[in-house]
Amino acid sequence: MKDVLYREQKEYLESFNNETNKLLLEMEEFADKNIVPILSRDSAKLMELLVQMYKPERVLELGTAIAYTTIRIAGNLKKGSKIHTIEFSEDNEKLAKAYVKKSGLSKKIRLLFGDAKEVMPGLKKKYDFIFLDADKEDYLALFEMAMKLLKKNGVIFVDNLLWHGYAASKEVPEKYKTSTKYIRDFNKIFMNHPQLNTTLLPVGDGIGLGIKIK
Ligand SMILES: C[S@@+](CC[C@H](N)C(=O)[O-])C[C@H]1O[C@@H](n2cnc3c(N)ncnc32)[C@H](O)[C@@H]1O
């Protein structure tokens, strides 16, 4: 698998990591050992800063995994604000429940179990901040649903838009061809969406950041 940054730059940025939260460190270690894809530290830090700056009252996450980013976001929400997060893997849902309990942030987190494509039509109230981090073949469908659920001036944050470097690469290994096509198709729509002002940041695996202007 490729990296978006050169190794030297990646290591330099990592040298500034000063995470001290024991639960987050434990979760990072668990994810690493068990090959659970979670948001990279630099992207997670960017997301935390955006949450601190933007102060969303209602956050929606599509793709909980073990609730690493759910807990990071919840830890930065103001009193009374909430994150709803959707996951369809039973194993991940169990792990997420246990970690959320351990975090002491249960009051700020609502775990929703099921395929986001089926759960989202049942969500009626709009959100201030939506984080899309699910299966790549679902990105377009989930994005379209997310746009309906995003408030005007709301923020959308999407992971993996440089897709290990393959989104921009001429040579894509067979194994990544289909997923790379999904990401490239998604990027064209995301970056040219008439209701969004967007950018694609070379942070982590490539972060798509947008604000709903219309
Ligand atoms: C990249 S991981 C999420 C990581 C998490 N956001 C974090 O950074 O800590 C993607 C997760 O989304 C789940 N997922 C993928 N497609 C989904 C869908 N359509 N509905 C619900 N969950 C989905 C997968 O089971 C997986 O646990």
Side-chain angles (χ1 to χ4, degrees):
M1 207 175 262
K2 285 169 110 182
D3 273 324
V4 169
L5 288 178
Y6 292 115
R7 181 146 33 108
E8 228 181 3
Q9 278 81 31
K10 201 174 168 224
E11 283 171 5
Y12 177 69
L13 293 180
E14 275 168 10
S15 75
F16 291 104
N17 175 48
N18 54 5
E19 186 57 68
T20 53
N21 182 311
K22 282 198 183 127
L23 179 63
L24 293 177
L25 291 170
E26 179 192 321
M27 293 176 85
E28 285 173 6
E29 203 182 315
F30 178 90
D32 193 40
K33 268 194 196 145
N34 296 280
I35 321 174
V36 180
I38 59 168
L39 196 63
S40 67
R41 274 187 182 151
D42 47 354
S43 301
K45 201 74 197 168
L46 171 67
M47 177 182 269
E48 276 187 353
L49 288 169
L50 286 169
V51 169
Q52 285 169 1
M53 285 187 255
Y54 188 64
K55 303 179 177 53
E57 284 174 10
R58 288 172 51 78
V59 179
L60 176 64
E61 178 181 44
L62 310 169
T64 318
I66 58 171
Y68 172 75
T69 39
T70 317
I71 289 169
R72 272 193 175 264
I73 293 171
N76 286 283
L77 292 178
K78 285 186 305 177
K79 205 171 165 217
S81 300
K82 212 154 176 161
I83 173 164
H84 295 169
T85 181
I86 312 178
E87 174 58 54
F88 66 11
S89 144
E90 270 181 47
D91 290 346
N92 284 348
E93 184 72 359
K94 271 189 212 145
L95 289 160
K97 258 188 199 160
Y99 278 126
V100 166
K101 198 170 168 205
K102 214 168 168 183
S103 74
L105 291 164
S106 303
K107 275 196 180 153
K108 291 189 167 178
I109 298 171
R110 184 168 166 218
L111 296 168
L112 299 165
F113 179 67
D115 188 326
K117 297 191 290 302
E118 284 155 28
V119 176
M120 287 170 84
L123 303 173
K124 298 295 172 223
K125 231 175 133 191
K126 292 194 171 185
Y127 294 87
D128 307 288
F129 190 105
I130 299 184
F131 172 31
L132 173 52
D133 195 18
D135 285 350
K136 306 317 148 202
E137 69 257 36
D138 288 342
Y139 261 32
L140 261 183
L142 296 181
F143 170 67
E144 273 159 23
M145 289 182 179
M147 284 302 291
K148 289 193 188 127
L149 284 171
L150 189 63
K151 283 185 197 165
K152 188 166 174 219
N153 295 320
V155 170
I156 182 153
F157 187 101
V158 190
D159 192 26
N160 306 114
L161 296 192
L162 290 176
W163 200 229
H164 319 296
Y166 298 133
S169 178
K170 284 202 181 89
E171 280 164 35
V172 179
E174 202 51 47
K175 191 178 153 200
Y176 285 95
K177 280 202 169 132
T178 309
S179 53
T180 301
K181 183 172 178 343
Y182 285 130
I183 290 293
R184 285 178 180 164
D185 290 347
F186 178 87
N187 285 346
K188 275 188 207 147
I189 290 171
F190 181 75
M191 294 302 283
N192 295 297
H193 199 284
Q195 285 178 283
L196 289 174
N197 186 11
T198 48
T199 187
L200 208 171
L201 304 165
V203 176
D205 195 27
I207 297 296
L209 186 60
I211 181 159
K212 192 172 179 184
I213 49 171
K214 278 187 211 162

